[in-house]
Amino acid sequence: MGPLKQLPFSGQSSVNNFDTFFIIKRISEKDDNFSSVSPFLVKNAITGSIGTVTSINLMRSSDLLVEVASRKQAHQILNLFNFFNFFNSLSTIPISVQPHVTLNTSKGVITCGRLLNLTNEEIAHELGGQGVKDVRRINIRRDGELMPTKHFILTFSTLRLPGYIKAGYVRCSVRPYIPNPLRCFKCQRFGHYKTNCRGTLTCARCAVAGHESTKCTAVERCVNCQGKHTSFSRPCPKWKVEKEIVATKFKNNISFPEAR
């Protein structure tokens, strides 16, 4: 009788997942993209190389977002990228292929006091067999110091969250992770990052353009609702609306435009 097969810490079988969304970029000294390439040629090139995929879309950046239909296609698209022969029919177009940063994962929150004394790395290692690829503990600030809690944000290598995970013999329910609304630190508006902002530098404290809030002592005023509070105030009615939109998006796995 051979040695017993070692089971994951959870006692459950290992989860085998693969990335389904990939971004294809053109490599060009002139910053060329796919907006000028025939959609017929693109589809024929992809289908001829890896077969029929689930979807092909042109992103705002004019790169291609490809959703593959199987593990085999996920392997093929990366291998073809490595050999730069993905577009055989468009041999003059060198490309790069990489998995999409966020579309191939999902995030959930668990609460488990039994894990309080374990590190994030230990927990991630033990839960790897259940599709967990990253663990981040939620900390709170108390009396000026960060205090660890029994709440953890888990990143799964799947698009759908499991209903629960098992930390050894402890069953932990998984609930959707709802991040706070995204607020630009430049213009103070919601929905985009500072690096992508086309607006004007605006103070988060007084809502006046032209300076930051670091040394501002003016009367508080919100950019988003014109209320008598800072633009980062959570009691702000506009912040609450944005929070509901974010919650709708993540709970129903839909886009922000659909959630709005």
Side-chain angles (χ1 to χ4, degrees), residues 6 9 14 20 30 55 61-62 78 105 122 127 129 140 151 164 169 197 209 226 230 234 258:
Q6 186 175 4
F9 185 54
S14 298
T20 56
K30 299 180 180 179
S55 66
S61 61
S62 293
L78 289 175
T105 61
E122 289 175 314
L127 297 180
I140 59 173
H151 310 293
Y164 69 94
Y169 61 88
C197 181
Q226 303 304 311
T230 63
R234 295 194 178 185
E258 291 173 318

Side-chain angles (χ1 to χ4, degrees), residues 16 32 47 63 69 71 78 89 98 116 171 197 213 252 257:
N16 294 318
D32 292 328
T47 303
D63 299 322
R71 179 186 300 278
L78 289 175
S89 60
Q98 59 185 0
L116 190 59
R171 174 170 169 152
C197 181
S213 60
N252 297 286

